[in-house]
Amino acid sequence: MSILVYIENVEGALKKSAFESLSYGKAVGDLTGEKVTALSIGNVSQEELNKVGQYGVEKVIEVNSSDLGQFVNQAYASVIAEVAKSIDAQTVILSNSFSGKGLAPRIAAKLGAALADGAISLPTISGSIWQIQKSVFSNKAIATEELQEQKKVIALTPNSLEATESAVPVAIEKYEPQVAAADLSTVIKDIVRATDKVSLPEADIVVSAGRGLKGPENWAMVEELADVLGAATACSKPVSDAGWRPHAEHVGQTGLAVTPNLYIAIGISGAIQHLAGVSASKTIVVINKDPEAPFFKVADYGIVGDAFEVVPQLIEALKAYKNN
């Protein structure tokens, strides 16, 4: 028996969430005594795949087929399940990313496995029964799920656990899957990225702003702060509804849910719908001139002040810090 960890890549580079999943898989393997194998699908260089060894995993199965050059949910789920069966993997681990949220239930169904999506903890193991924690009710509570099936699929919430390095030599083994034509009925021919900015779902730091910015013409300082921090930009729902920012930047209950290590909210009051999508952030900084803004109740750090005065000073201070 073994553990299979699916590692995602973007344009051939392994994602940060892949290293978190590898570290999680290694930790689970230490608990169960099972060997851990990584699975890469797509055109990823050997140099990238060798990084798997930095996180304590000794073997990578590489699937590099022209049919699987772009992500296709059905086909990727079938390949992951096929590889899991080929190595007798009782546990499949992947990131609860955009693609992971689609893959995990499909893989679980194909394997007849129990599913824990959105996991935020290592399992507590008692025989074949595992208990795993996950955030529920828009991150207002933590639930403990009990997995009773022998086979298990765990989708790990990004940024919930640190990637831990434990270097070992790594072996790369190629694998030719049997991809059914029905799994390739939808094929993505090409993906054109709109910008070269940091991907919002993958960002460690998110700089977000709301109607307190008064208009789209004032977003330059938000983008400058994000550039200084190497962050992604986001916005509240009223801002995207007004057309000040693209809907792709809308975070909250009806938009993207994000879990960065640092979330900076500028001129956002903190409506419950917005908090539902960002409250799982590890550290929240709020900048608002209204000291009664609800966001301050959940903030780790708060600055009561006019964003048009605070943010430029913050940018200059960060630039000075980086230059020194």
Side-chain angles (χ1 to χ4, degrees):
M1 294 188 293
S2 63
I3 296 169
L4 181 67
V5 179
Y6 169 57
I7 49 175
E8 294 183 31
N9 74 86
V10 57
E11 297 181 345
L14 295 179
K15 291 184 176 181
K16 174 174 173 284
S17 60
F19 303 130
E20 294 170 353
S21 297
L22 286 168
S23 298
Y24 187 89
K26 173 66 167 54
V28 174
D30 289 342
L31 291 173
T32 63
E34 296 172 303
K35 288 188 175 181
V36 183
T37 299
L39 169 62
S40 167
I41 304 176
N43 186 15
V44 181
S45 69
Q46 184 163 335
E47 181 181 4
E48 278 294 304
L49 294 179
N50 281 334
K51 292 179 181 177
V52 167
Q54 296 175 16
Y55 299 89
V57 176
E58 299 175 345
K59 181 179 176 182
V60 183
I61 293 177
E62 178 190 15
V63 174
N64 186 6
S65 163
S66 58
D67 291 335
L68 302 169
Q70 302 287 359
F71 176 74
V72 180
N73 195 322
Q74 302 95 313
Y76 273 47
S78 294
V79 170
I80 295 169
E82 180 183 325
V83 173
K85 291 176 182 176
S86 74
I87 63 171
D88 192 25
Q90 300 299 297
T91 305
V92 175
I93 295 168
L94 67 166
S95 173
N96 199 47
S97 60
F98 269 143
S99 54
K101 288 176 181 176
L103 286 171
R106 285 181 181 272
I107 298 167
K110 290 177 182 293
L111 296 177
L115 169 64
D117 57 344
I120 60 171
S121 74
L122 285 169
T124 300
I125 299 175
S126 177
S128 63
I129 297 176
W130 293 14
Q131 291 185 334
I132 296 179
Q133 292 183 324
K134 63 182 290 185
S135 295
V136 295
F137 300 125
S138 301
N139 301 312
K140 295 186 181 306
I142 294 176
T144 300
E145 288 193 340
E146 188 169 278
L147 309 183
Q148 299 182 348
E149 298 293 334
Q150 188 68 38
K151 293 185 177 181
K152 301 168 180 69
V153 174
I154 302 173
L156 179 67
T157 296
N159 289 324
S160 59
L161 295 171
E162 298 285 343
T164 304
E165 294 198 19
S166 175
V168 295
V170 64
I172 301 172
E173 177 182 297
K174 293 186 181 298
Y175 183 88
E176 295 291 336
Q178 302 296 318
V179 183
D183 286 338
L184 295 171
S185 57
T186 300
V187 177
I188 300 172
K189 293 294 186 182
D190 193 17
I191 295 176
V192 178
R193 295 188 177 278
T195 72
D196 58 357
K197 293 181 179 179
V198 178
S199 169
L200 179 54
E202 302 293 330
D204 273 339
I205 305 174
V206 174
V207 177
S208 185
R211 283 186 297 184
L213 269 290
K214 298 182 179 178
E217 67 277 8
N218 295 319
W219 237 262
M221 66 178 184
V222 177
E223 293 179 329
E224 185 175 5
L225 177 58
D227 286 341
V228 172
L229 291 169
T233 55
C235 67
S236 61
K237 185 175 186 297
V239 165
S240 60
D241 285 348
W244 295 2
R245 300 297 294 178
H247 282 286
E249 291 191 2
H250 166 206
V251 293
Q253 191 172 37
T254 55
L256 286 171
V258 293
T259 57
N261 288 319
L262 174 61
Y263 183 81
I264 301 176
I266 304 170
I268 301 176
S269 63
I272 191 169
Q273 293 87 351
H274 186 81
L275 297 180
V278 306
S279 59
S281 305
K282 284 190 176 176
T283 302
I284 296 176
V285 176
V286 172
I287 302 171
N288 201 304
K289 65 181 180 181
D290 177 8
E292 302 300 323
F295 223 146
F296 282 118
K297 295 180 181 178
V298 299
D300 297 285
Y301 302 94
I303 301 174
V304 179
D306 190 328
F308 296 99
E309 297 177 4
V310 174
V311 175
Q313 292 182 53
L314 186 57
I315 292 170
E316 292 307 313
L318 287 168
K319 286 181 177 177
Y321 175 78
K322 293 180 74 172
N323 290 334
N324 290 329

